[in-house]
Amino acid sequence: MPRTREPFWRRLLAGTLPLLVWSLHFAFAYGLAAAQCTPAGMRPGGPDRALLGAVTLAAIGACAWLAWRAREVPRREDAGLLDWARLVLAVLALVAVAWTGVPLLLVTGCA
């Protein structure tokens, strides 16, 4: 049986990595906001907006980098489903991180 150049799990991780970035950003952002808005951890100004902004920008940068790496997929004739998923999910995760981060950056305090 011929051995492929790239193992399946490595290709699968490359295809799903954008969603992992988004899910980690989502969990961190809402977890931090929930932790800092509990009565025991109440912050005067609400969740730490600088930290949330930095994490959001880092996640947007990671998703943009993943989309940049997948940019050659539409020009390739041998691109498979996993290659297209890598490109589409990178763009989708970029939008999802921005969408998730905007409300958290606008929150001024804990209600």
Side-chain angles (χ1 to χ4, degrees):
M1 179 156 56
R3 185 165 172 88
T4 59
R5 291 187 319 170
E6 284 190 44
F8 172 75
W9 294 110
R10 183 174 173 186
R11 288 179 48 94
L12 183 65
L13 179 63
T16 57
L17 192 57
L19 292 181
L20 291 173
V21 170
W22 168 74
S23 64
L24 289 174
H25 172 264
F26 184 86
F28 176 80
Y30 281 94
L32 181 70
Q36 289 183 346
C37 284
T38 59
M42 188 72 75
R43 287 178 43 94
D48 189 356
R49 293 171 64 183
L51 179 59
L52 289 174
V55 169
T56 299
L57 287 177
I60 286 174
C63 290
W65 179 72
L66 290 169
W68 179 259
R69 288 191 57 195
R71 73 190 181 280
E72 79 279 349
V73 169
R75 292 179 285 219
R76 288 182 30 205
E77 291 183 20
D78 65 337
L81 178 63
L82 202 51
D83 296 320
W84 279 99
R86 200 172 104 200
L87 175 65
V88 171
L89 291 178
V91 173
L92 181 65
L94 181 71
V95 172
V97 167
W99 188 262
T100 302
V102 167
L104 291 172
L105 295 175
L106 298 176
V107 171
T108 57
C110 299

